[in-house]
Amino acid sequence: MNAWEKNIRNVKPYVPGEQPADKSVIKLNTNENPYPPAPGVSRVLNNMDTDSLRLYPDPTIGLLVDEIANFYNVKSDEVFVGVGSDDVLAIAFLTFFNSDKKVLFPDITYSFYPVWCDLYRIPYETQALDEDFKIVKEDYYKDNGGIVIANPNAPTSIYEEIEVIEDIVKHNPDSVVIIDEAYIDFAGESALSLTSKYDNLLVVQTFSKSRSMAGMRIGYAMGNPKLIKALNDVKYSFNSYTMNQTAILAGVEAVKDKDYFEMVIQKILNTRKKAESSFRKLGFSFPKSGTNFFFVSHEYIPAKDLYGLLKENDIYVRYFDLPRINNYLRITIGSDEQMKVLFDFIEKYISKIQF
Ligand code: PMP
């Protein structure tokens, strides 16, 4: 090994779900929204003044920050915007998890958390979810360097009631608690309502799921102005112009259209309700989903086999070969038509292996 190679930062990266080039694939592997973004988004993109691209975008992302603040009825200095919630979370880890104490998060959760910890050399300790994949809140009562909890959790799809979240925040006044709410619009009450009461609470959300804009890369955090200023200070120490001009304008249009946003969520919730009984009829068990995906395990078909079989037949779902969850599949809720293809395929397969 060359001397310079010894100096390379050695990290084991997060592995995102596949993005196949073939558009005919039934893509239920990365929790994207099957419906297009709000109509205003295509309007603004079609009428984009490309001359404006000569200039750097507004480093404060003011237009989009103001629109998000308006939507959630908070002040603009309580909102931070980044390039997807991955970017927001990465900056938040760098900003707030800066002590020698261990950061705490569940053993089964978004698998990017340990990657950021390793990248930044943040010590961490995972806390086991119980046998139903629920959070044991008492595990978060100990001394720590910060806490991050996805609610609803991924890949389990479980939403913890706001009281559980508040209890954890209340027990941790000395560290920043990040609640990653990527899927909250499909679940229940957001922890945003607690941010006025707890100045150490940061709520992170995304345009990638409920607002159908995974490809545009927009995420945001909301919390006390002191937390938001700290995030901006770190952002400006790293890259002033994180959000491109096109994303800022498209994002504004997506937030403005509340009716469309609610209509799309309702469509997915309707499909979720129907899919629950279809999965059950086919012999799957799963926690109650508070998200736009299911976390399913079949009574006799091993998850890994079903994953491979579905893939061979152009139906992509997500499989994690990890302890405790290696007999589960995470399946995104697509359109009714996509779900029918999935269920018809599994039904046919089951009827074949039974004879
Ligand atoms: N948090 C959780 C729990 C997620 O599942 C995802 C999606 N992979 C993200 C954050 C990041 O989403 P995005 O960067 O697209 O906002």
Side-chain angles (χ1 to χ4, degrees), residues 14 84-86 89 110 113 150 154 180 182-183 206 208-209 217-218:
Y14 170 76
S85 55
D86 280 344
L89 288 163
Y110 188 28
Y113 302 157
D180 175 358
Y183 302 99
T206 178
S208 297
K209 318 294 175 182
R217 311 304 300 128
I218 305 174

Side-chain angles (χ1 to χ4, degrees), residues 277-285 296-302 305-306 309-310 313 329 331 341-355:
S277 59
S278 305
F279 274 124
R280 213 164 275 130
K281 263 190 228 146
L282 290 169
F284 289 95
S285 55
V296 302
S297 183
H298 195 263
E299 54 188 336
Y300 54 83
I301 313 172
D305 295 358
L306 186 55
L309 190 74
L310 288 168
N313 289 276
L329 295 177
I331 304 183
V341 175
L342 171 78
F343 294 133
D344 286 354
F345 177 85
I346 298 173
E347 193 178 349
K348 220 157 129 195
Y349 175 69
I350 289 174
S351 67
K352 260 198 290 191
I353 58 176
Q354 278 171 346
F355 290 100

Side-chain angles (χ1 to χ4, degrees), residues 265-275 336:
I265 291 169
Q266 197 50 54
K267 275 169 89 158
I268 291 167
L269 296 186
N270 293 345
T271 306
R272 183 167 83 188
K273 198 155 183 37
K274 285 184 270 183
D336 283 338

Side-chain angles (χ1 to χ4, degrees), residues 25-232:
V25 162
I26 306 273
K27 200 174 170 306
L28 306 175
N29 65 334
T30 47
N31 300 340
E32 289 139 331
N33 195 311
Y35 304 108
V41 174
S42 60
R43 226 168 18 241
V44 84
L45 293 181
N46 288 334
N47 297 324
M48 185 78 199
D49 167 20
T50 49
D51 188 53
S52 71
L53 300 181
R54 286 185 305 104
L55 306 178
Y56 284 106
D58 170 15
T60 72
I61 320 171
L63 283 178
L64 186 51
V65 164
D66 291 349
E67 205 61 50
I68 292 170
N70 185 38
F71 185 90
Y72 290 101
N73 206 13
V74 297
K75 300 208 180 76
S76 293
D77 64 0
E78 295 170 317
V79 177
F80 174 85
V81 171
V83 189
S85 55
D86 280 344
D87 180 52
V88 175
L89 288 163
I91 293 175
F93 273 49
L94 184 58
T95 309
F96 301 120
F97 298 163
N98 196 31
S99 82
D100 298 331
K101 294 179 190 169
K102 288 175 182 162
V103 165
L104 310 179
F105 50 85
D107 61 338
I108 303 166
T109 190
Y110 188 28
S111 46
F112 223 139
Y113 302 157
V115 174
W116 285 313
C117 284
D118 289 340
L119 174 65
Y120 298 137
R121 319 257 156 90
I122 300 168
Y124 67 93
E125 183 180 276
T126 59
Q127 309 300 309
L129 296 175
D130 72 13
E131 65 273 24
D132 298 321
F133 298 141
K134 301 277 288 176
I135 284 178
V136 182
K137 62 184 189 321
E138 293 77 12
D139 288 347
Y140 299 84
Y141 290 179
K142 60 184 135 198
D143 198 30
N144 64 73
I147 292 174
V148 56
I149 287 175
N151 192 39
N153 197 6
T156 65
S157 82
I158 295 175
Y159 170 70
E160 299 283 355
E161 292 302 326
I162 193 84
E163 291 75 21
V164 176
I165 301 300
E166 177 159 16
D167 182 82
I168 292 172
V169 179
K170 203 189 275 177
H171 277 86
N172 288 282
D174 296 336
S175 45
V176 172
V177 179
I178 300 175
I179 306 298
D180 175 358
E181 293 191 335
Y183 302 99
I184 194 67
D185 297 321
F186 307 104
E189 192 182 342
S190 164
L192 178 61
S193 57
L194 302 174
T195 52
S196 51
K197 213 161 142 191
Y198 301 98
D199 58 8
N200 58 326
L201 169 64
L202 188 78
V203 174
V204 177
Q205 298 189 4
T206 178
F207 281 43
S208 297
K209 318 294 175 182
S210 53
R211 287 194 169 83
S212 311
M213 290 178 81
M216 195 51 88
R217 311 304 300 128
I218 305 174
Y220 51 106
M222 296 179 286
N224 181 285
K226 271 196 215 166
L227 296 179
I228 301 305
K229 179 181 183 306
L231 285 170
N232 274 313

